[in-house]
Amino acid sequence: MKKREYSTKEVLAILDSNGYHLLRTTKGSHKIYSDGVHTISVPTQNKMVNKMLFARLVRENNLIIN
């Protein structure tokens, strides 16, 4: 996997394609997604998600990138 920054919209689309759905939105700047087993917190304050954070999310939750 080539490490690059992904936009928040791209990350949310990847989560959606992997079966995650919006569980709740925090008062702050994060959205919580779940697939029934794993729960992921995605920061939404910036337009881009840090490439190291995204790589960790993919690795820990076995996400498939199309």
Side-chain angles (χ1 to χ4, degrees):
M1 172 180 69
K2 183 177 179 182
K3 292 182 181 176
R4 69 173 182 93
E5 287 189 341
Y6 285 82
S7 71
T8 301
K9 286 183 180 182
E10 289 175 316
V11 172
L12 298 181
I14 290 169
L15 290 176
D16 185 47
S17 68
N18 280 278
Y20 284 80
H21 63 279
L22 181 64
L23 193 59
R24 63 187 167 94
T25 303
T26 64
K27 286 185 179 180
S29 56
H30 287 75
K31 291 186 177 182
I32 311 299
Y33 283 82
S34 177
D35 68 347
V37 178
H38 301 100
T39 303
I40 298 176
S41 176
V42 180
T44 57
Q45 75 273 17
N46 296 327
K47 294 184 189 276
M48 301 299 284
V49 174
N50 182 292
K51 60 185 173 183
M52 296 303 289
L53 172 64
F54 182 72
R56 182 179 60 86
L57 289 174
V58 169
R59 184 178 64 249
E60 289 179 356
N61 298 292
N62 300 321
L63 298 177
I64 299 171
I65 304 171
N66 297 334

